[in-house]
Amino acid sequence: MVDQRVRLPDMRTDVAQVLITEEQIRDKVAELGGQITSDYAATSVTLVSVLKGSLPFMADLMRAIQIPVTIDLMEVSSYGGATTETSGLVRILKDLSSSIAGKDVLIVEDIIDTGLTLNYLLRYLRGKNPRSLRICALLDKPARRLVEIPIDYRGFQIPDEFVVGYGLDFGEYYRNLPFIGVLRRELYETT
Ligand code: PRP
């Protein structure tokens, strides 16, 4: 039974503009994978994906890295459901499965916005005594930064627009778009 009160997204028309195409993402992921491969060539790296947003990026990036990797998954949440504003309160919904003590760890994120999520995660993961801890973020939105975050591998710097697709959601939808697009403003200004 369909709940008539809920507006389901229209995947074709809700995006005002494609900001980053599938091809641009593919090229950037290959470039980042190459850098990571050469930087960690003498060792191996543990990729820690920050779900849910980083899921497609993680899946593509790990296959663009040509050295042995292990992976782990964390899920954190800082945004409420259908909102474009961070609550500032970071919650761990799923913790690491294995110890990272003594390991070279690379956090894989889809976007750094205010920086509050990563600021929290960096402190949390440093407390688990990895040998090294770096950050790989596909998108960097510096206009909204509240805390400075050292980004070791950056995909794209983007303007202060609300973006969806390739893992990024609005109200949990649009994550499956293969590109990154700007959501039509009226969709979130009215909610
Ligand atoms: C998004 C994104 C980052 C965080 C960035 O996650 O995946 O983790 O927000 O924002 P910040 O720099 O302002 O902290 P979200 O909490 O929306 O969860 P999700 O990945 O499950 O969509």
Side-chain angles (χ1 to χ4, degrees):
M1 184 90 161
V2 176
D3 184 346
Q4 301 293 343
R5 292 166 304 175
V6 179
R7 178 194 179 278
L8 275 177
D10 185 327
M11 304 283 283
R12 290 167 306 120
T13 59
D14 289 355
V15 170
Q17 177 207 347
V18 175
L19 194 64
I20 306 171
T21 65
E22 274 187 84
E23 191 185 9
Q24 287 173 309
I25 294 172
R26 203 166 40 238
D27 290 350
K28 186 60 77 177
V29 169
E31 184 189 320
L32 292 170
Q35 284 170 15
I36 293 164
T37 298
S38 57
D39 289 356
Y40 290 89
T43 170
S44 100
V45 62
T46 298
L47 304 175
V48 173
S49 172
V50 186
L51 298 172
K52 300 174 197 143
S54 70
L55 180 63
F57 180 43
M58 175 72 163
D60 288 342
L61 182 69
M62 63 189 272
R63 288 177 292 174
I65 298 173
Q66 318 271 323
I67 53 162
V69 303
T70 59
I71 67 166
D72 209 333
L73 311 171
M74 287 189 75
E75 185 174 357
V76 303
S77 186
S78 60
Y79 286 69
T83 175
T84 59
E85 293 297 320
T86 181
S87 64
L89 181 73
V90 180
R91 289 182 302 149
I92 294 183
L93 305 177
K94 185 212 167 294
D95 207 339
L96 294 171
S97 306
S98 309
S99 168
I100 56 167
K103 294 189 173 166
D104 291 306
V105 174
L106 182 59
I107 303 173
V108 178
E109 257 290 22
D110 51 335
I111 186 167
I112 305 180
D113 197 339
T114 62
L116 292 172
T117 302
L118 267 177
N119 189 48
Y120 175 87
L121 267 181
L122 279 174
R123 271 187 288 128
Y124 181 77
L125 293 176
R126 271 189 202 121
K128 300 197 172 289
N129 302 312
R131 189 160 77 131
S132 67
L133 184 60
R134 288 184 180 166
I135 293 169
C136 177
L138 181 66
L139 305 178
D140 175 20
K141 198 193 278 185
R144 289 175 39 98
R145 194 76 87 252
L146 295 177
V147 274
E148 202 177 318
I149 299 292
I151 307 175
D152 301 283
Y153 303 94
R154 178 192 286 104
F156 302 93
Q157 187 167 308
I158 61 167
D160 189 11
E161 299 278 4
F162 193 81
V163 287
V164 293
Y166 198 67
L168 291 130
D169 76 306
F170 173 61
E172 292 299 328
Y173 288 106
Y174 307 100
R175 294 191 198 272
N176 56 324
L177 289 172
F179 55 83
I180 292 165
V182 177
L183 193 66
R184 271 174 38 219
R185 198 167 279 273
E186 60 268 30
L187 291 173
Y188 55 86
E189 283 185 344
T190 53
T191 54

